[in-house]
């Protein structure tokens, strides 16, 4: 198995396991494909939703490509500034964030996409007259799991539909410089229709606002473009998505710019998680392949019942012998990476490749069970470079304080 022209076995031997390995060219290709699909039709700004993967090297690749950023926290904003993004390329969409965070983001010169009328009133006291846009709740939800469906009526995100017009009118009275409108229906949707339903809602609001003398510069369709995780699954047709949405905007509004915020789409298939087989067990009911990555390393299967394709990187193309569960070192039954997969006679020391681990992989990892966070490697042109060192126990203990009397 090769990743970006470099042998997976060599990478694992050199950098240790578990390790996330990213193919730089794939990140670039994904960005160019989605930007190209939309920019053919109208002025387009692709803001990478960086919560999917905030490694500074990955951010730097996307800065080079010309991407903007969708940030959901002050930490993400600061990481992107550190990676060289200028504040004007970043939009901040927080939810339930503090005055202190709003103030900090605003002082860094980053535009705030407001999530509630309450947040707007708070921002009016902190940074009057600043540029803003609003996240609305379109009443359309979509996603790979209920946990990541965000646009449905009653969701915690955005301005409820029946309050949108009043909120914009109030923003105008408060003296804000109103730039746009935003919705995000959820993450990992596989079909085009919900995006069109959402756009219908946004367009109606845009035109109603125009009637009130509020002209918007952009419509932001959010992120959520799904990717195929299973071998037979089809890709979403982004050409069709782009063509449909941009023609709706062009035909029905005066808005000149579309923004989108893909996270998963840009980084998901760029990265493989490599994990070593530590142990094997045949229970008579199930066969287990015990590896060194658990839900501390990749939480998506445990958290969302997500499917990740797996293969033995050192036995590619070998005939499969039986069905196995690939499970990790965390002391919970929910700790698994893959259920009931046919694999070619796994042996201790083999290398399991977990595909499509670039989005919400490392960025959701934890130190649970006191296992330090793992390394990340970037491959380009057949060369592998470390982009994050594996943590040590010193990192796990850092910031912990044992009071003097307990020492
Ligand atoms: C998470 C998020 C995204 C990206 O979702 P993907 O499914 O990774 O494309 C975009 N916009 C906002 C506001 C988000 O919270």
């Amino acid at each position: 198995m090769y990743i970006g022209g470099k042998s997976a076995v060599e990478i694992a031997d050199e950098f240790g396991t578990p390790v996330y390995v990213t193919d730089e060219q794939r990140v670039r290709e994904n960005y160019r494909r989605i930007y190209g699909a939309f920019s053919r039709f109208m002025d387009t700004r692709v803001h990478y939703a960086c919560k999917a993967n905030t490694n500074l090297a990955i951010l730097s690749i996307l800065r080079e490509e010309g991407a903007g950023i969708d940030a959901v926290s002050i930490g993400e904003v600061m990481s992107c500034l550190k990676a060289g993004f200028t504040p004007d390329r970043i939009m901040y969409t927080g939810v339930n964030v503090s005055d202190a965070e709003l103030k900090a983001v605003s002082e860094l010169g980053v535009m705030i996409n407001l999530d509630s009328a309450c947040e707007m009133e708070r921002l009016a006291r902190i940074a009057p007259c600043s540029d803003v846009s609003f996240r609305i709740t379109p009443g359309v939800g979509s996603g790979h799991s209920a946990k990541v469906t965000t646009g449905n009526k009653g969701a915690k995100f955005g301005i409820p539909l029946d309050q949108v017009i009043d909120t914009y009118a109030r923003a105008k009275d408060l003296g804000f410089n109103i730039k746009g409108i935003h919705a995000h229906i959820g993450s990992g949707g596989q079909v085009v229709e919900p995006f069109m339903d959402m756009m219908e809602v946004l367009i109606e609001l845009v035109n109603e606002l125009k009637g009130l003398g509020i002209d918007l510069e952009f419509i932001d369709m959010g992120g959520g473009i799904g990717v195929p995780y299973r071998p037979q699954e089809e890709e979403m047709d982004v050409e069709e998505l782009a063509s449909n949405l941009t023609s709706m905007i062009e035909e029905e509004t005066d808005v000149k710019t579309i923004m989108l915020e893909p996270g998963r789409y840009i980084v998901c298939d760029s990265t493989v998680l490599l994990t070593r087989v530590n142990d094997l067990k045949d229970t008579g009911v199930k066969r287990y392949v015990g590896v060194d990555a658990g839900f501390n390393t990749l939480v998506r299967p445990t958290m969302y019942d997500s499917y990740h394709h797996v293969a033995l990187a050192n036995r590619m193309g070998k005939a499969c012998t039986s069905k196995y569960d690939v499970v990790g070192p965390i002391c919970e039954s929910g700790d698994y990476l893959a259920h009931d997969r046919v694999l070619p006679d796994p042996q201790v020391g083999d290398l399991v490749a977990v595909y499509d681990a670039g989005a919400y992989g490392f960025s959701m990892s934890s130190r649970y069970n006191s296992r330090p966070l793992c390394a990340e490697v970037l491959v380009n042109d057949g060369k592998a470079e470390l982009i994050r060192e594996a943590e040590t126990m010193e990192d796990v203990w850092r910031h912990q304080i044992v009071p003097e009397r307990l020492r």
Side-chain angles (χ1 to χ4, degrees):
M1 177 182 186
Y2 284 80
I3 306 166
K6 174 100 180 164
S7 147
V9 169
E10 279 176 34
I11 294 170
D13 287 346
E14 183 177 346
F15 298 98
T17 58
V19 61
Y20 280 93
V21 186
T22 298
D23 177 352
E24 175 170 338
Q25 290 309 318
R26 186 63 68 90
V27 176
R28 294 184 186 275
E29 287 161 17
N30 289 342
Y31 175 79
R32 288 174 196 175
R33 192 180 323 108
I34 192 76
Y35 178 74
F38 282 81
S39 61
R40 275 174 56 203
F41 298 107
M42 72 186 287
D43 181 49
T44 298
R45 283 162 61 189
V46 174
H47 281 209
Y48 167 56
C50 70
K51 71 178 184 287
N53 188 330
T54 35
N55 185 288
L56 295 171
I58 306 288
L59 294 176
S60 300
I61 292 167
L62 289 159
R63 185 204 67 233
E64 278 192 3
E65 289 294 326
I69 289 290
D70 164 57
V72 297
S73 72
I74 178 72
E76 288 187 356
V77 168
M78 291 170 71
S79 292
C80 293
L81 293 173
K82 187 171 174 65
F85 285 88
T86 49
D88 58 303
R89 283 166 70 180
I90 305 173
M91 185 158 89
Y92 169 86
T93 301
V95 60
N96 303 326
V97 295
S98 68
D99 285 359
E101 182 153 331
L102 287 176
K103 185 161 188 285
V105 170
S106 162
E107 282 172 359
L108 289 169
V110 168
M111 184 167 71
I112 294 173
N113 186 32
L114 291 160
D115 185 75
S116 71
C118 171
E119 187 185 10
M120 170 180 69
E121 299 293 341
R122 292 191 290 128
L123 186 68
R125 291 192 286 274
I126 295 162
C129 308
S130 48
D131 292 355
V132 292
S133 110
F134 289 91
R135 176 178 193 161
I136 64 118
T137 319
V140 180
S142 172
H144 66 76
S145 154
K147 291 188 178 119
V148 296
T149 300
T150 54
N152 52 298
K153 186 168 195 275
K156 81 164 180 177
F157 300 98
I159 317 276
L161 264 192
D162 57 359
Q163 299 166 27
V164 171
I165 299 298
D166 286 351
T167 307
Y168 270 85
R170 171 75 178 148
K172 194 179 170 193
D173 289 346
L174 286 168
F176 281 117
N177 188 17
I178 304 168
K179 293 288 189 181
I181 190 163
H182 166 277
H184 173 62
I185 56 180
S187 191
Q190 293 286 22
V191 289
V192 171
E193 283 70 26
F195 289 95
M196 296 180 62
D197 294 345
M198 167 193 67
M199 190 54 75
E200 212 48 82
V201 173
L202 288 171
I203 285 172
E204 204 172 303
L205 291 166
V206 164
N207 289 329
E208 211 173 318
L209 290 169
K210 189 177 169 57
L212 297 176
I214 299 172
D215 289 299
L216 302 182
E217 286 176 20
F218 66 81
I219 294 179
D220 187 333
M221 57 165 278
I225 301 167
V227 299
Y229 282 92
R230 292 169 196 265
Q232 257 70 34
E233 227 171 320
E234 278 187 38
E235 270 180 48
M236 191 192 288
D237 188 343
V238 292
E239 303 283 332
E240 183 194 337
L241 180 72
S243 150
N244 291 357
L245 295 180
T246 53
S247 66
M248 288 169 77
I249 295 174
E250 283 182 324
E251 283 163 24
E252 298 172 53
T253 76
D254 299 329
V255 175
K256 296 287 177 262
T257 302
I258 186 165
M259 275 172 60
L260 56 152
E261 304 166 341
R264 187 185 313 276
Y265 184 86
I266 291 178
V267 288
C268 186
D269 69 355
S270 71
T271 303
V272 166
L273 168 64
L274 297 177
T275 175
R276 189 77 73 186
V277 177
N278 280 340
D279 207 81
L280 297 163
K281 188 177 291 177
D282 185 348
T283 65
V285 182
K286 243 182 203 317
R287 291 187 166 86
Y288 288 104
V289 178
V291 297
D292 61 9
F295 79 70
N296 56 321
T297 317
L298 179 67
V299 78
R300 298 191 70 257
T302 300
M303 178 107 151
Y304 308 120
D305 278 325
S306 299
Y307 180 100
H308 281 268
H309 197 60
V310 296
L312 293 187
N314 58 315
R315 291 178 202 276
M316 297 299 281
K318 294 279 173 6
C320 291
T321 49
S322 201
K323 266 190 188 167
Y324 302 87
D325 273 24
V326 180
V327 293
I330 297 298
C331 295
E332 298 199 17
S333 303
D335 179 36
Y336 81 100
L337 296 177
H339 280 149
D340 293 327
R341 304 300 173 78
V342 288
L343 292 169
D345 191 22
Q347 300 294 315
V348 169
D350 278 354
L351 194 61
V352 174
V354 184
Y355 289 79
D356 303 315
Y360 310 103
F362 186 92
S363 67
M364 292 181 82
S365 66
S366 75
R367 301 187 184 89
Y368 187 43
N369 280 199
S370 293
R371 295 194 177 278
L373 299 182
C374 73
E376 294 178 283
V377 165
L378 185 66
V379 188
N380 191 38
D381 227 355
K383 285 197 273 302
E385 291 168 291
L386 198 59
I387 56 171
R388 182 191 299 268
E389 291 176 358
E391 288 187 352
T392 65
M393 282 311 295
E394 288 302 324
D395 296 306
V396 175
W397 296 325
R398 185 165 300 152
H399 306 304
Q400 297 191 53
I401 300 162
V402 181
E404 196 67 55
R405 67 193 158 77
L406 299 177
R407 287 184 203 164

